Amino acid sequence: MRKRHPVVALGLLGVLCVPAHAEARDIGRDTLAPNDGWAAADGGTTGGAAADDAHVYTVTDRAGLVRALDGGSDTPKIIKIAGTIDANTEDDGDHLDCADYATDGYGLKKYLAAYDPRTWGSAPPSGPQEQARQASAARQAERVALPVGSNTTIVGLGSKAVLKGGSLQVSNADNVIIRNLELRDAYDCFPVWQPNNGGLGDWKTAYDTLWLRGATHVWVDHVTASDKGHPDEKEPTYFARNYLRHDGLLDITGGSDLVTVSWSRFADHDKAMLIGNSDSATGDRGKLRVTLHHNEFESVVQRAPRVRFGQVHLYNNRYVVPEDAHDYRYSVGVSTESGIYAENNAFTTPGHIEAADLVKSWNGTALHNSGSLFNGYPVDLLTIYNAYNSGSERDLTADVGWTPTLHTKIDSAATVDREVARGAGAGRTP
């Protein structure tokens, strides 16, 4: 490593010069190990490891991060995040709140009055208030949607690197690594009312903390993602539906492929991880190959993950549902043409949640499951699912049509339950 002057100095646009002795091991040029899941296939994943010195950045604010991302360019780059970066800020660092983004006369009370189902009906919102909502949402998107290009590595420095309020978006990019970073509270100021969603209507939000869309060769490791700061359960109810402010924690859609998510923590959220976003997205066939291993899903209501089309290896993960959970729905979602190969996962839940609640199917046909523990006891989730849902949903078979070959050592679920509790999440890289 190049020697640096032993004085910390803040440079232009949030670029920080950090003394070499103040840094932990430099993980910026780490690459994904051979055989470590689907992202190791077809040449592997190296991120920005080939970056020259001119394209290695340490950033401390949104302006510095945007400059380093370079509009999502393909230039090899390593971006190191130091401290907490708030995406909801002006270029000069002033914080922005929802009122700062509102424009063209938008107001929540006016929006609710305009589209109350008792008077508006079931048609999608249109007219002045919906137009004002869209204009206001576009202003926020300019701040918080952060494009990540090919050949990029983003890592957090130390144990307290945070991106708050931002949505990292890897769109049609290849060869990306994101590690040792807390992604927190991708908060949508302007949800849209969708009257026909789910039969009762629902609020639709815009931002995932991390969104892979048409992305290939992506390694996400030791990331913590949550709604910390603005939990949706504390939001009010409008039109008899919770006024959601967050979308997914990590969504993998649009033909994304060859992804490994390891040693990460997903917490305090409703819809955590969607792999494949539509039954009609038949272009996803043969793609959405994802490995999830040594991750923790804690206080997650659903989608951990929910899968369409993809071949997903789900092994050595830890699931924790808290004692006071009142809205838990399921953990593993089996949907259209999905092939989930689940091995040696550990589930801990309170007494009112049954093993039959852990799996849910929508047009799914198969689930491989072995080595699961439920509250410390071995359990055959496939057999239990079929027994409890016989007559209401078609049985799932054990043949998902493929067998994983790219993976690290697969430990027992009991071992994993302890190791993942200690080692998953940001600030815990070895």
Side-chain angles (χ1 to χ4, degrees):
M1 179 182 294
R2 183 178 59 187
K3 290 185 177 180
R4 296 173 178 170
H5 194 275
V7 174
V8 177
L10 183 64
L12 295 176
L13 293 175
V15 176
L16 183 71
C17 298
V18 182
H21 66 268
E23 295 185 29
R25 181 178 70 86
D26 184 2
I27 64 173
R29 295 193 186 272
D30 285 358
T31 61
L32 180 65
N35 298 314
D36 191 352
W38 274 118
D42 299 344
T45 301
T46 60
D52 59 27
D53 287 347
H55 292 92
V56 178
Y57 309 93
T58 300
V59 298
T60 61
D61 59 19
R62 179 191 174 278
L65 177 59
V66 168
R67 175 174 173 268
L69 287 169
D70 190 27
S73 77
D74 294 344
T75 304
K77 64 185 77 66
I78 298 171
I79 302 171
K80 303 176 183 181
I81 292 179
T84 297
I85 291 178
D86 186 352
N88 288 292
T89 55
E90 292 277 19
D91 288 345
D92 61 7
D94 287 347
H95 177 73
L96 297 168
D97 59 24
C98 292
D100 294 315
Y101 295 123
T103 188
D104 295 354
Y106 174 84
L108 178 57
K109 289 184 178 179
K110 290 186 285 185
Y111 189 88
L112 294 173
Y115 306 115
D116 188 323
R118 294 170 296 185
T119 53
W120 177 260
S122 60
S126 62
Q129 270 300 300
E130 171 58 15
Q131 293 169 7
R133 187 204 65 79
Q134 293 179 20
S136 302
R139 293 184 68 184
Q140 186 184 17
E142 289 178 359
R143 294 280 105 188
V144 304
L146 302 168
V148 180
S150 299
N151 309 312
T152 298
T153 291
I154 301 175
V155 297
L157 288 179
S159 60
K160 296 182 179 180
V162 178
L163 175 60
K164 175 183 176 183
S167 174
L168 289 176
Q169 301 184 357
V170 187
S171 180
N172 299 314
D174 177 71
N175 194 31
V176 173
I177 295 173
I178 301 173
R179 302 184 71 201
N180 194 42
L181 181 63
E182 181 179 351
L183 302 174
R184 180 192 302 171
D185 191 22
Y187 186 85
D188 186 353
C189 289
F190 307 101
V192 60
W193 173 243
Q194 295 185 325
N196 294 314
N197 191 4
L200 298 175
D202 212 347
W203 293 98
K204 173 66 175 175
T205 54
Y207 308 114
D208 304 316
T209 55
L210 176 56
W211 184 19
L212 311 185
R213 178 181 56 183
T216 53
H217 288 108
V218 179
W219 179 29
V220 179
D221 178 67
H222 282 93
V223 163
T224 295
S226 75
D227 298 344
K228 186 175 180 179
H230 289 100
D232 278 335
E233 64 182 18
K234 293 187 178 180
E235 293 291 338
T237 297
Y238 298 126
F239 306 155
R241 303 294 286 169
N242 187 216
Y243 191 53
L244 297 175
R245 297 297 193 127
H246 303 90
D247 198 2
L249 293 178
L250 168 55
D251 280 6
I252 303 170
T253 64
S256 293
D257 199 18
L258 304 179
V259 177
T260 296
V261 182
S262 57
W263 292 99
S264 292
R265 184 171 185 269
F266 303 92
D268 305 318
H269 188 81
D270 185 355
K271 303 176 179 71
M273 186 182 299
L274 184 63
I275 301 176
N277 65 322
S278 173
D279 290 353
S280 63
T282 54
D284 287 342
R285 286 176 178 146
K287 300 176 182 178
L288 298 176
R289 292 174 291 178
V290 179
T291 299
L292 304 173
H293 74 82
H294 294 91
N295 302 294
E296 182 175 66
F297 297 90
E298 183 175 1
S299 299
V300 167
V301 176
Q302 57 187 312
R303 298 185 183 177
R306 178 178 175 179
V307 182
R308 296 177 175 92
F309 298 106
Q311 294 181 346
V312 174
H313 192 194
L314 183 71
Y315 77 91
N316 281 178
N317 299 285
R318 179 176 192 259
Y319 294 80
V320 180
V321 182
E323 287 291 333
D324 60 352
H326 61 277
D327 55 357
Y328 174 81
R329 293 188 60 189
Y330 68 92
S331 291
V332 181
V334 183
S335 297
T336 301
E337 297 184 32
S338 63
I340 302 173
Y341 201 101
E343 298 182 274
N344 297 23
N345 299 292
F347 300 85
T348 300
T349 75
H352 67 277
I353 293 175
E354 304 287 346
D357 298 326
L358 302 179
V359 175
K360 186 170 178 57
S361 175
W362 299 261
N363 301 317
T365 59
L367 170 67
H368 173 94
N369 175 79
S370 61
S372 295
L373 283 184
F374 177 67
N375 290 332
Y377 292 91
V379 64
D380 184 342
L381 294 182
L382 179 61
T383 298
I384 290 174
Y385 173 85
N386 287 336
Y388 273 71
N389 293 280
S390 180
S392 60
E393 299 176 13
R394 63 180 169 185
D395 285 356
L396 300 176
T397 71
D399 183 7
V400 295
W402 72 290
T403 301
T405 58
L406 294 171
H407 55 78
T408 57
K409 181 177 181 289
I410 300 178
D411 291 313
S412 71
T415 297
V416 165
D417 200 26
R418 297 188 299 270
E419 291 186 349
V420 171
R422 291 194 298 263
R428 296 177 172 181
T429 51

